[in-house]
Amino acid sequence: AIIAPPWLSTYPGCYYGIENVIQNLTSTLFKMGHEVVLFTVGGSTTAASKRYWYHKEDQYPSIHRPWYEAVPIVSAHILYSLNIIRTQGDFDIIHDHNSFMGPSMMAFAGDDLPPTLHTLHEPFSNDNLTRQGLPDNRMLFEELKYAKRMYFNGISKSQLKTVPKELKKRIVDLVYNGVDSADYPYLSKKKDYFLTVSRIGQDKGQAIAAKLCYEQGLKYKIAGTIGGSIATKRQLEEHLEDPTSDAAHNPYLDYFKNKVLPYLVPGQIEYLGAVFGERKMKLLSNAKAFLAPITWEEPFGIAIIDALACGTPVVAYRRGAFSEIIEHGKNGFLANTEAEFKKYMQRVDEISPEACRLSVEKNFSAERMAKNYVQRYTEIIARAKK
């Protein structure tokens, strides 16, 4: 049983982060001959033995609502899934992808449920995050130490270095995320613009990239949502013009308005809004390079895998899991300072698009990911029987 989050549907060619992983994992396991049941939302078309859903439509519009409005959505989805699993009684293992809520609800669900593997898609809190005013999520994982039939896997070595001590004995190693390169258009000839596709925020560093492109007179396209609710240029304009809007005091909008907006130049540095599907793939495959000057310890980085699969090199800061994905000088560059980042932007033509594509096919394929998860499933089932 694979339990996806209820926020977005999964389908072939899906390019959302966690949903992309679930699409590739589920369909590949199914192709390998495993009986795999997906608990998702109604619009999903991922190949599986069977699909169930509580919510007929994507619930993403509610994901950023106050907890007392958003929690019932994901809780109902998880409880519905567990009730079916419990009633049918023939599942070997549950694989959960619902950050925080999944392990919280399944930790003590009872011995009448199969053992659970929860994939840690989220980072663990650290002093840098708590200084920014973010709650410390380690307290949750520390209290899962007695959840005897629940196990966890990480998605990078970098992420697992920060695992709370109490959780370490429940970790069954890491499994890198994987994608199906057939979903990505490969182009060896690039156009003359840099690109970043991700949610807009200080941790993603779009302002750094915009500043460097502005100083060098380079073209730069920025795509992604702002604060969860702003997804088009028109919506952005409306919120900027209306100081009484719901997003007026959103820290992500403040970041864009104060740090990114000053560098926007029509025809040179542009905000595109959120991009999906064919438009996103076209932007990625044509870009000269993908820029990722992140200011936090990213636990993986599906967006840079997307770019590399399209044959597009990546210039990034050497933080989080990026040094496990980017081979410096082969499929991109890793910078330690802003000056180095600027220098490597000028060297992206040295990187072979073919090498970028091959790095994904070799290290981050859907097939490799699925085989690694089968090994984890087998290990967990054996441990649970003991």
Side-chain angles (χ1 to χ4, degrees), residues 185-251:
Y186 168 77
L187 290 178
S188 58
K189 293 184 179 180
K190 305 297 183 179
K191 294 187 177 179
D192 192 27
Y193 65 85
F194 292 93
L195 175 70
T196 300
V197 181
S198 70
R199 59 178 174 78
I200 312 297
Q202 183 172 340
D203 55 343
K204 296 294 186 178
Q206 287 92 346
I208 298 170
K211 172 179 174 286
L212 293 175
C213 288
Y214 181 86
E215 291 174 348
Q216 299 176 83
L218 301 170
K219 291 183 178 180
Y220 177 45
K221 299 181 186 295
I222 306 167
T225 57
I226 304 173
S229 60
I230 301 172
T232 67
K233 288 197 290 184
R234 183 59 198 150
Q235 287 177 336
L236 173 63
E237 291 168 0
E238 290 173 354
H239 286 296
L240 291 174
E241 292 167 1
D242 181 9
T244 65
S245 74
D246 293 340
H249 302 292
N250 186 308

Side-chain angles (χ1 to χ4, degrees), residues 65-271:
R65 288 183 179 275
W67 71 271
Y68 51 85
E69 296 177 13
V71 165
I73 293 171
V74 65
S75 299
H77 165 73
I78 294 173
L79 288 171
Y80 169 79
S81 304
L82 296 182
N83 284 335
I84 290 176
I85 293 167
R86 178 179 280 111
T87 301
Q88 293 194 1
D90 60 350
F91 287 90
D92 297 300
I93 191 165
I94 298 170
H95 189 174
D96 175 56
H97 297 268
N98 288 272
S99 297
F100 307 122
M101 284 299 295
S104 298
M105 295 181 69
M106 297 180 205
F108 305 100
D111 291 344
D112 56 340
L113 283 173
T116 298
L117 171 65
H118 174 79
T119 293
L120 297 160
H121 292 287
E122 59 284 321
F124 294 103
S125 293
N126 54 47
D127 292 340
N128 182 42
L129 291 175
T130 54
R131 277 196 297 269
Q132 295 177 35
L134 295 174
D136 191 336
N137 65 37
R138 288 171 293 190
M139 66 181 89
L140 165 67
F141 293 106
E142 288 170 357
E143 293 304 319
L144 292 171
K145 56 190 173 186
Y146 296 119
K148 294 182 179 179
R149 292 173 64 80
M150 173 163 284
Y151 302 86
F152 300 83
N153 77 276
I155 53 175
S156 68
K157 296 175 184 176
S158 170
Q159 179 201 42
L160 289 181
K161 287 179 182 177
T162 60
V163 170
K165 181 181 178 181
E166 291 79 358
L167 196 67
K168 285 185 177 179
K169 63 182 179 181
R170 312 226 65 81
I171 299 288
V172 291
D173 211 347
L174 71 88
V175 178
Y176 285 125
N177 292 331
V179 299
D180 185 348
S181 58
D183 291 335
Y184 296 82
Y186 168 77
L187 290 178
S188 58
K189 293 184 179 180
K190 305 297 183 179
K191 294 187 177 179
D192 192 27
Y193 65 85
F194 292 93
L195 175 70
T196 300
V197 181
S198 70
R199 59 178 174 78
I200 312 297
Q202 183 172 340
D203 55 343
K204 296 294 186 178
Q206 287 92 346
I208 298 170
K211 172 179 174 286
L212 293 175
C213 288
Y214 181 86
E215 291 174 348
Q216 299 176 83
L218 301 170
K219 291 183 178 180
Y220 177 45
K221 299 181 186 295
I222 306 167
T225 57
I226 304 173
S229 60
I230 301 172
T232 67
K233 288 197 290 184
R234 183 59 198 150
Q235 287 177 336
L236 173 63
E237 291 168 0
E238 290 173 354
H239 286 296
L240 291 174
E241 292 167 1
D242 181 9
T244 65
S245 74
D246 293 340
H249 302 292
N250 186 308
Y252 297 99
L253 180 61
D254 285 344
Y255 170 77
F256 188 92
K257 182 170 61 176
N258 297 321
K259 302 293 186 180
V260 179
L261 189 62
Y263 294 111
L264 297 191
V265 178
Q268 182 195 348
I269 302 175
E270 302 175 293
Y271 172 62

Side-chain angles (χ1 to χ4, degrees), residues 300-317:
F300 187 75
I302 280 288
I304 65 172
I305 295 293
D306 291 343
L308 292 171
C310 292
T312 299
V314 177
V315 181
Y317 274 146

